[in-house]
Amino acid sequence: MRRRYPAKVEMTDALKAALLNAAQLEEGEYVLTYDGRPLTTVKRAFKTLCSRTGVTECTPYTLRHTFASHLAMQGVPLFHIQHTMGHTTHDTTLRYAHLSHESQRG
């Protein structure tokens, strides 16, 4: 049986509601917040989260590499990974989809 992989990742109901309500916000209000403070950038919020949890040497791009690599190690065709990640070229996907040493042995 061949597995089918989604071409997109669904957003949560909470995010959908926040984005739908964004049009009603006053100027200067933020759609996304963390601990009541505005989420100014994903990179800054991610760095804060990592430091609070003791994770070092990790960026949002680390998550993209991990996502692509796990799909590749599970046998998802690179074309599907490329489409899911929104890459326009095969070469870009190859930069993200790394195989683990264990998966290369067997």
Side-chain angles (χ1 to χ4, degrees):
M1 171 185 247
R2 187 171 180 181
R3 294 173 108 181
R4 295 274 180 209
Y5 300 95
K8 60 184 176 180
V9 176
E10 299 293 329
M11 75 172 71
T12 65
D13 290 337
L15 178 57
K16 184 177 180 179
L19 294 174
L20 289 173
N21 289 326
Q24 300 170 12
L25 294 176
E26 299 286 327
E27 187 173 334
E29 287 186 293
Y30 294 88
V31 174
L32 303 175
T33 61
Y34 178 77
D35 285 343
R37 295 183 309 239
L39 225 166
T40 54
T41 67
V42 171
K43 186 176 182 179
R44 183 177 296 165
F46 190 80
K47 184 177 180 181
T48 300
L49 180 63
C50 288
S51 67
R52 287 182 181 183
T53 58
V55 175
T56 60
E57 298 182 33
C58 190
T59 69
Y61 280 97
T62 305
L63 300 179
R64 289 182 61 79
H65 284 275
T66 302
F67 176 72
S69 296
H70 279 266
L71 290 177
M73 287 183 284
Q74 292 175 18
V76 176
L78 284 176
F79 174 79
H80 292 295
I81 299 171
Q82 176 184 340
H83 183 72
T84 300
M85 295 188 74
H87 296 154
T88 56
T89 68
H90 185 72
D91 290 338
T92 302
T93 305
L94 289 175
R95 278 187 241 138
Y96 281 93
H98 307 285
L99 298 177
S100 71
H101 297 294
E102 291 80 21
S103 69
Q104 292 178 26
R105 286 187 210 147

